[in-house]
Amino acid sequence: MTRTVAIFASLALSATAAMADDTEGSIFQQEFSGIQSGLNEIILNAGSQNPASLETASDIGTAAPLVGGNVDQLITNALNVLVSKGSVVSNATQISTGSQYATNLMDGRNATLADGTLRQMGENLANVITAEQVDSVTQQFGPGAMQDVTNTALLRGNAGSVVQIGRNTANIVEAELSIGLGSQVFPFNSTQQINNFVRISDAAPLPAEMAGFDVPERTLIRMSSDASIWQEGTNMGNILIADEVRDVARVFNGQQIINNHIILDDIGQAPPQITQSGINVANFVSASRVSGLTQVSDGVQIVENRVTDGSLADLTAQVPQYTHVAENYVNVLHIRAPGNPSGGTLTVLDATVSASQEARIPQSSVSGNGRQVQVGNAATVER
């Protein structure tokens, strides 16, 4: 049995401001100051209803304990999106001072997922441009902008698997040829945040808004031998991808935060495999030629991966197969090998690199054994 609940919040797409054959290119201006909020909430109540008879999302909310099958909760929010492939954009301005929230909740403390997979995914997109060439661009995420993904699974035993994925992207330009004069700004009081939370318990504490909710006692159900929990978060801010990037100033002073947390009231509830991954990227450029680029960062990047018991004591060493990734990247240049759209071979002298990078940013990760990476003011060159 598969049940899917999906929300796609409003997509703000600009209309073309100039004819496609206009040699001077098109001009776009997009501004957003509102709120996009997507919520998927499933509460499983004990009862006599047969899960096989459920037909709609509203049925799920009053279902009996699930005995099998998959449950999907998917949300996508998008604002200030410009897709103009194969054409020239002479000037584009995108400003977002609003908020995006993607919230998935599975409250299964009164029921059990006997098998299958619970999949929760939330994604927020703000200030996105795709074109053949962008001559001038201004992208600003803030002040006071927010992208938040929260995936929560409260389970009374779970013999199946749980997958939680959160992705936030703000200020990204991808051009086939070049990106010219402009700026990308991510101010101090703007935030990208992802919270992935799983609790498997006999009687998990109730949220304040559910005080008095009756949670009957029940025997714990152990994870099956092929079950797993996967938590993944990715924040990306100020991204440029093109063959050539020139005269662009980028400032990242905001916050990128990822929290992956699993609470097991009994270590016997641990699945054989647990994977937790958090990656923050700010001020990233991938191009063959870069000139007049300035990147400054005074923001914050945090990744926390935790597996604990109810008292928050660490359990990672007791999980049979535990893998974690905690990576923070700021002010990174990826200089690709030069290509030549007109044919022939370009020399290294044709592929210039001129850039200034300054980072005064705290980067931190908290997790058990696994890969931890902190990178600031870095360049990789392929020649």
Side-chain angles (χ1 to χ4, degrees), residues 177-179 240-246 284-291 332-338 351-353 380-383:
L177 297 179
S178 63
I179 301 171
L240 296 176
I241 301 172
D243 186 63
E244 180 182 9
V245 173
R246 60 185 185 276
F284 173 84
V285 175
S286 178
S288 298
R289 290 171 287 277
V290 176
S291 60
V332 177
L333 289 177
H334 173 217
I335 308 301
R336 305 191 303 266
T352 61
V353 177
T380 62
V381 180
E382 300 174 3
R383 287 291 185 257

Side-chain angles (χ1 to χ4, degrees), residues 7-24:
I7 291 180
F8 297 93
S10 60
L11 179 65
L13 287 174
S14 172
T16 303
M19 298 301 291
D21 59 355
D22 187 343
T23 57
E24 294 183 357

Side-chain angles (χ1 to χ4, degrees), residues 129-152:
I129 298 176
T130 300
E132 180 180 39
Q133 177 176 316
V134 180
D135 294 334
S136 178
V137 61
T138 298
Q139 290 182 317
Q140 184 169 314
F141 182 69
M146 166 66 79
Q147 289 182 321
D148 180 275
V149 176
T150 300
N151 295 315
T152 303

Side-chain angles (χ1 to χ4, degrees), residues 179-382:
I179 301 171
L181 178 70
S183 65
Q184 290 181 314
V185 180
F186 197 124
F188 279 105
N189 55 351
S190 294
T191 301
Q192 293 177 315
Q193 181 167 289
I194 297 170
N195 294 295
N196 292 319
F197 179 71
V198 174
R199 181 160 193 165
I200 302 178
S201 64
D202 189 29
L206 295 175
E209 63 271 17
M210 296 183 65
F213 189 83
D214 184 23
V215 180
E217 296 296 327
R218 187 173 298 182
T219 302
L220 292 174
I221 294 181
R222 308 300 183 182
M223 286 280 193
S224 65
S225 59
D226 59 350
S228 65
I229 298 179
W230 178 289
Q231 294 180 316
E232 174 187 324
T234 304
N235 289 318
M236 302 185 72
N238 293 357
I239 310 296
L240 296 176
I241 301 172
D243 186 63
E244 180 182 9
V245 173
R246 60 185 185 276
D247 300 326
V248 179
R250 287 127 63 79
V251 177
F252 174 77
N253 290 333
Q255 299 182 87
Q256 293 180 321
I257 302 170
I258 299 173
N259 291 305
N260 294 316
H261 191 187
I262 299 170
I263 294 181
L264 305 171
D265 282 0
D266 185 322
I267 187 58
Q269 300 165 303
Q273 298 181 359
I274 291 180
T275 300
Q276 295 179 310
S277 172
I279 300 176
N280 291 316
V281 181
N283 287 0
F284 173 84
V285 175
S286 178
S288 298
R289 290 171 287 277
V290 176
S291 60
L293 175 71
T294 301
Q295 302 192 133
V296 177
S297 298
D298 277 295
V300 175
Q301 293 179 315
I302 298 172
V303 176
E304 293 191 1
N305 295 323
R306 294 180 292 168
V307 180
T308 69
D309 62 17
S311 67
L312 302 185
D314 184 74
L315 296 178
T316 54
Q318 302 179 54
V319 177
Q321 296 184 43
Y322 175 65
T323 303
H324 92 84
V325 174
E327 301 181 359
N328 293 309
Y329 299 91
V330 66
N331 293 359
V332 177
L333 289 177
H334 173 217
I335 308 301
R336 305 191 303 266
N340 191 345
S342 61
T345 302
L346 290 179
T347 67
V348 173
L349 293 178
D350 294 319
T352 61
V353 177
S354 172
S356 172
Q357 300 187 127
E358 181 178 356
R360 298 181 296 270
I361 178 172
Q363 297 173 311
S364 67
S365 61
V366 177
S367 50
N369 57 316
R371 187 169 80 239
Q372 299 188 37
V373 178
Q374 318 288 338
V375 175
N377 292 349
T380 62
V381 180
E382 300 174 3

